[in-house]
Amino acid sequence: MAKKWFETVAIAQERAHKRLPRSVYGALVAGSEKGLSSRDNLAAFDELGFAPHIADLPAQRSMATSVMGQEIAMPVLISPTGVQAVHPDGELAVARAAANRGLAMGLSSFASRSVEEVAAANDKVFFQLYWSGGRDVMVRRMERAKAAGAKGIIVTLDWSFSNGRDWGSPWIPEKIGFKEAMILAPQTLLRPRWLWSFARKAHFPDLSAPNMAEPGTKAPTFFGAYYEWMQSTPPTWEELTWLRAQWDGPFMVKGVSRIDDAKRVVQAGATALSVSNHGGNNLDGTPSPLRALPAVADAVGSEIEVLLDGGVRRGSDVVKALALGAKAVMIGRAYLWGLAANGQAGVENVLDVLHGGIDSTLLGLGRASIHELSRDDVVAPEGFFRILGG
Ligand SMILES: Cc1cc2nc3c(=O)[nH]c(=O)nc-3n(C[C@H](O)[C@H](O)[C@H](O)COP(=O)(O)O)c2cc1C
């Protein structure tokens, strides 16, 4: 067990790289076009420094908070991702890990596990929707999530269906049966531990999207669901307001970069927004959310909960985002690396790494609580910030 423990997310990523077949690892690294945004998401955290204290440091630090009405043990949420093929327990392992650490989870509508299974494993689940399939279909998806016990909705609006990457996209089959397994064999046979983890459960990785199924029908394939989404006309602000009115509870809009959009999200009646560029998987060239965050937080932070996601790999990254005005952050790849490296225990390991990092950063900054953090705690180089749509 000790051998499987890792002390940083970077080590978890290295293990995921060794363990996962090339195409699965490539799908997680992702990024779009030239990878400008995915690189900037990481670079921005590196450019920001700290202004530490050396005495009067607090003996104990607290980091509990609440987001969308849920009490959470630290200001970190699981961002929704479809984790098909990373680990046989998929989102279920992630849900259990988050529940064991007192944390909430966003569940993707493209997830490989059903909202019923996941909400039974974690009572703080927010179901994530795309604008896909028409009004009635979306209402049915939300009703299903509510019946399963989801506590909130996350609507993700930043997606531009870009489909080229300068380093090439991995081949992902429609489904994995014997034939596809043989085509993938050259890379999967080089990853025997990954193969064995699925073989033990006697199934191939599930590439379907059960939460996109209509009542009484079979789960569509991942690509079938993606096609439905591609064919859907993107929503207007009025339609977003309509969607919000269909959900009686907390409602987050994910993918905001601009101040004017943030104000429209407030007008639509949302409870929360996440400043995000979809982990750099969307419109390449969108700046890191960390650079755009302060302007958005200044504009709407008193009216709505402002979160950030994109590029968080350390506890100190979480503290930087909070110092710049986020109430909490969401993580994507960080927990995916943990899941790939060591299943549920690997996700718990990542969450513990972040917890320890937040605690030691608060100590260094002389802050007894995350609620005391302010912009004075960080140093930003000239020209660091971006004000979009101001
Ligand atoms: C493999 C992968 C799949 C994703 N799937 C979804 C999704 O289904 N829905 C969604 O809202 N965001 C999705 N995202 C974006 C994440 O929720 C989040 O915005 C992003 O991963 C944050 O950046 P980070 O990975 O640097 O933490 C996905 C991201 C990755 C890497």
Side-chain angles (χ1 to χ4, degrees), residues 268-296:
T271 333
L273 65 80
S274 190
V275 183
S276 164
N277 61 16
H278 216 113
N281 298 338
N282 182 38
L283 182 63
D284 199 29
T286 309
S288 143
L290 193 66
R291 301 185 198 279
L293 169 69
V296 172

Side-chain angles (χ1 to χ4, degrees), residues 91-92 107 111-120 127 144 148 210-211:
E91 295 83 4
L92 211 46
L107 176 69
S112 60
R113 294 303 189 116
S114 72
V115 62
E116 289 79 11
E117 280 180 291
V118 172
F127 184 66
R144 176 178 167 187
N211 299 308

Side-chain angles (χ1 to χ4, degrees), residues 115-197:
V115 62
E116 289 79 11
E117 280 180 291
V118 172
N122 185 323
D123 65 357
K124 297 172 182 176
V125 163
F126 305 134
F127 184 66
Q128 180 263 324
L129 274 182
Y130 288 114
W131 188 271
S132 173
R135 290 186 179 211
D136 294 349
V137 171
M138 285 184 284
V139 167
R140 281 198 289 277
R141 281 184 190 138
M142 289 198 290
E143 282 169 351
R144 176 178 167 187
K146 173 127 288 172
K151 300 295 190 302
I153 288 288
I154 299 175
V155 176
T156 304
L157 293 183
D158 62 337
W159 193 253
S160 48
F161 298 97
S162 138
N163 55 14
R165 300 183 179 100
D166 287 357
W167 53 98
S169 297
W171 178 68
I172 303 170
E174 175 84 359
K175 60 176 181 32
I176 301 191
F178 185 70
K179 191 172 121 234
E180 292 78 14
M182 283 299 103
I183 297 173
L184 287 167
Q187 41 172 312
T188 54
L189 292 177
L190 290 172
R191 295 291 184 267
R193 282 175 303 169
W194 175 85
L195 201 55
W196 174 237
S197 71

